[in-house]
């Protein structure tokens, strides 16, 4: 059970000001990752800056709808934010390689078709109760190792891609997060520790930019020109890139993404339940959660966006702030939808410099990895069996993806099967999940030793 004292439980409904600010904090937390995915895909597809901006709006709309579905009776009803999935980056790059010569619209049509079909399969498997039955094979060793891989493998994203661009700003955010969440003993300061930290550093950077202290090419220089030039209102609509198309090649390529999302989301359901002080998720909750993510992927395909998945960094936010209310998460979802309609709102959030976002990620990703260690404590950590399984799986999760990525050509020579294996092998959480699950189920061990005595009811 989570030791963090909750300020608001899952069923609690805070006042409107608290919901708006805490919901905005969730949006701020997921913004960098959710926006980064279309920023990676857009240039690779050959999109113009105008198309990339529109693509980002499509993603905001889709992720807001997906989050509302996940927190409703159609989903798990856990306070899980849905965002654009990093697991689909390698498969989508494969689709881009196949259809790149036909332009971004055609690529998005084939991607949309694959997401709709794959999402439909996920939804059927979930609502038919098949997914929950796999729970008996997935214990604390698998969950803990996978969660550790999710958090700690994101270190290059937090540091290299964001924080290292200007360490003073990033470390200032980290220091303020520690101050506001752990040192200052004020409930509302603790609740909004992430938001307060970002706002303080952002205002300092804005003042230094406006006074000319920071040059325009500085990593934390803030330019509000894009906000002034953005439209107030816009609507992305359905199938904005054209009617989705289906091909077995693109569907085969994105299979690895769906598998990785499945493993990651199972860990997240346990993780968020632990962070919220709830019992382990039942098979019914897992079934509805995976089904809702399938619906979310279908929504992404229909709205011209990308695949969705549960966001571990926002689970870390619950642990840091003690705010587990699903109403807060729903408020954040509504804000995301509004961001897709109000161009200036999204443009303003987009001005947050990446080093500031990197500071948030350093704090949050570290918490995620530590929560994986916490999950492992359900098993007997004095067991040599468990120590060897965890050590092997985690080492492979950190070491194998680099080797697999370097041998892309050899894998691709095997066709679609090779592409799927390549995408799985270069994903740390998939390697950790598969390795630990296989070893935990194949190597003899008692239920108490495996931590399964109270997991399977």
């Amino acid at each position: 059970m989570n030791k963090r004292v909750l300020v608001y439980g899952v069923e609690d409904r805070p006042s409107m000001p608290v919901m708006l600010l805490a919901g905005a904090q969730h949006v701020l937390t997921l913004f960098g990752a959710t926006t980064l995915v279309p920023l990676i895909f857009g240039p690779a597809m050959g999109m113009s800056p105008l198309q990339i901006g529109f693509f980002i709006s499509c993603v905001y709309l889709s992720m807001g709808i997906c989050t509302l579905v996940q927190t409703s009776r159609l989903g798990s009803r856990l306070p899980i934010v849905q965002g654009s999935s990093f697991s689909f980056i390698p498969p989508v790059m494969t689709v881009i390689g196949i259809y790149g010569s036909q332009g971004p619209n055609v690529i998005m049509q084939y991607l949309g078709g694959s997401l709709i079909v794959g999402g439909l399969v996920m939804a059927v498997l979930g609502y038919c109760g098949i997914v929950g039955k796999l729970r008996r094979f997935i214990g604390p060793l698998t969950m803990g190792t996978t969660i550790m891989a999710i958090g700690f493998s994101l270190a290059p994203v937090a540091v290299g891609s964001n924080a290292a661009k200007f360490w003073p700003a990033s470390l200032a955010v980290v220091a303020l997060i520690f101050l506001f969440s752990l040192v200052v003993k004020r409930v509302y300061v603790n609740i909004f520790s992430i938001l307060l930290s970002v706002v303080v550093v952002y205002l300092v950077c804005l003042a230094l930019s406006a006074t000319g202290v920071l040059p325009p090419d500085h990593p934390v220089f803030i330019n509000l020109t894009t906000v002034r030039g953005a439209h107030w209102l816009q609507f992305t609509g359905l199938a904005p890139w054209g009617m989705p198309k289906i091909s077995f090649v693109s569907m085969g390529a994105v299979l690895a993404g769906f598998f990785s999302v499945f493993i990651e989301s199972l860990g997240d359901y346990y993780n968020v339940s632990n962070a919220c002080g709830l019992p382990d998720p039942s098979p019914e909750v897992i079934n509805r959660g995976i089904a809702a993510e399938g619906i979310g992927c279908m929504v992404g395909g229909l709205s011209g966006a990308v695949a969705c998945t549960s966001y571990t960094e926002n689970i870390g936010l619950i642990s840091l702030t003690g705010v587990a209310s699903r109403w807060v998460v729903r408020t954040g979802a509504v804000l995301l939808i509004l961001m897709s309609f109000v161009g200036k709102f999204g443009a303003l959030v987009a001005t947050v410099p990446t080093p500031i976002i990197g500071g948030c990620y350093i704090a949050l990703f570290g918490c995620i990895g530590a929560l994986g260690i916490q999950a492992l404590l359900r098993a007997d950590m004095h067991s040599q069996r468990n120590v060897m399984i965890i050590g092997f799986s985690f080492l492979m999760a950190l070491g194998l993806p680099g080797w697999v990525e370097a041998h892309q050509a050899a894998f691709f020579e095997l066709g679609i099967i090779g592409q799927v294996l390549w995408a799985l092998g270069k994903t740390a959480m998939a390697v950790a999940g598969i390795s630990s699950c296989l070893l935990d189920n194949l190597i003899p061990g008692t239920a108490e030793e495996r931590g399964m005595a109270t997991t399977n009811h």
Side-chain angles (χ1 to χ4, degrees):
M1 191 68 67
N2 183 35
K3 301 302 182 184
R4 178 69 159 92
V5 177
L6 292 178
V7 181
Y8 293 104
V10 175
E11 302 290 344
D12 293 338
R13 187 170 182 173
S15 63
M16 185 57 68
V18 172
M19 281 202 297
L20 286 173
L21 288 174
Q25 190 167 239
H26 272 290
V27 172
L28 188 66
T29 301
L30 66 86
F31 168 76
T34 293
T35 306
L36 182 59
V37 173
L39 286 177
I40 291 172
F41 290 159
M45 294 182 191
M47 288 184 175
S48 66
L50 184 61
Q51 288 176 313
I52 294 174
F54 184 80
F55 188 18
I56 291 174
S57 295
C58 293
V59 170
Y60 289 159
L61 175 64
S62 174
M63 298 309 133
I65 295 173
C66 296
T67 302
L68 291 177
V69 172
Q70 184 64 265
T71 56
S72 73
R73 296 190 182 276
L74 289 174
S76 66
R77 301 194 80 231
L78 294 170
I80 297 181
V81 172
Q82 303 293 120
S84 50
S85 174
F86 280 86
S87 300
F88 279 82
I89 292 178
V92 171
M93 288 301 181
T94 301
V95 176
I96 293 173
I98 297 170
Y99 300 105
S101 61
Q102 301 182 45
N105 285 59
V106 173
I107 298 172
M108 290 301 301
Q109 289 168 18
Y110 279 110
L111 176 59
S114 299
L115 293 179
I116 292 171
V117 173
L120 179 61
V121 172
M122 282 184 68
V124 170
L125 291 176
Y127 288 134
C128 287
I130 297 175
V131 174
K133 295 179 180 179
L134 299 175
R135 181 174 178 251
R136 70 183 65 180
F137 302 107
I138 302 174
L141 293 186
T142 302
M143 291 299 166
T145 309
T146 302
I147 294 168
M148 286 171 59
I150 292 170
F152 296 140
S153 69
L154 289 172
V157 176
V159 177
S161 301
N162 292 278
K165 293 181 178 179
F166 190 64
W167 279 110
S170 301
L171 294 179
V173 172
V174 174
L176 288 175
I177 290 174
F178 273 86
L179 175 66
F180 293 145
S181 64
L182 300 176
V183 179
V184 177
K185 303 301 181 182
R186 296 288 185 273
V187 173
Y188 287 103
V189 173
N190 300 152
I191 291 174
F192 304 119
S193 57
I194 304 291
L195 185 61
L196 286 172
S197 302
V198 170
V199 169
V200 169
V201 179
Y202 179 89
L203 290 176
V204 171
C205 293
L206 181 62
L208 294 176
S209 300
T211 55
V213 176
L214 297 176
D217 59 346
H218 196 279
V220 294
F221 179 84
I222 298 174
N223 187 353
L224 298 179
T225 303
T226 55
V227 179
R228 301 187 191 98
H231 295 292
W232 277 106
L233 296 175
Q234 61 183 359
F235 179 63
T236 56
L238 292 176
W241 310 103
M243 290 301 297
K245 298 179 179 179
I246 297 175
S247 77
F248 288 106
V249 177
S250 59
M251 287 171 55
V254 301
L255 176 63
F258 281 107
F259 183 83
S260 297
V261 163
F262 171 73
I263 293 293
E264 178 185 4
S265 297
L266 284 179
D268 283 341
Y269 300 152
Y270 281 83
N271 199 2
V272 73
S273 296
N274 183 262
C276 297
L278 299 174
D280 286 344
S282 66
E284 291 74 19
V285 170
I286 294 173
N287 283 324
R288 292 198 309 270
I290 294 296
E293 296 206 17
I295 293 176
C297 289
M298 294 172 65
V299 170
L302 288 169
S303 60
V306 295
C308 76
T309 188
S310 52
Y311 257 32
T312 48
E313 49 262 61
N314 288 81
I315 297 173
L317 182 62
I318 292 174
S319 297
L320 275 176
T321 63
V323 179
S325 170
R326 75 167 62 91
W327 289 99
V328 167
V329 173
R330 288 171 178 168
T331 303
V334 173
L335 291 176
L336 272 176
I337 294 173
L338 291 176
M339 284 173 60
S340 74
F341 292 143
V342 184
K344 287 187 180 294
F345 185 40
L348 178 62
V349 179
T351 62
V352 178
T354 55
I356 294 180
I357 298 297
C360 296
Y361 283 174
I362 288 174
L364 294 176
F365 292 163
C367 282
I368 293 164
L371 285 173
I373 298 174
Q374 188 179 65
L376 291 174
L377 295 178
R378 301 184 184 188
D380 182 5
M381 293 308 296
H382 295 287
S383 165
Q384 184 66 20
R385 169 194 182 273
N386 292 347
V387 170
M388 290 187 68
I389 291 174
I390 295 166
F392 172 81
S393 302
F394 190 60
L395 185 140
M396 292 299 288
L398 296 182
L400 185 62
W403 180 86
V404 171
E405 186 171 10
H407 292 79
Q408 177 181 349
F411 279 92
F412 275 41
E413 288 179 358
L414 301 176
I416 293 176
I417 294 177
Q419 295 172 8
V420 172
L421 291 175
W422 178 78
L424 287 174
K426 71 182 297 295
T427 305
M429 58 193 173
V431 174
I434 294 171
S435 301
S436 55
C437 185
L438 287 175
L439 293 174
D440 190 31
N441 285 280
L442 292 176
I443 298 176
T446 65
E448 290 76 14
E449 187 179 21
R450 298 175 62 199
M452 302 287 280
T454 58
T455 299
N456 295 324
H457 304 290

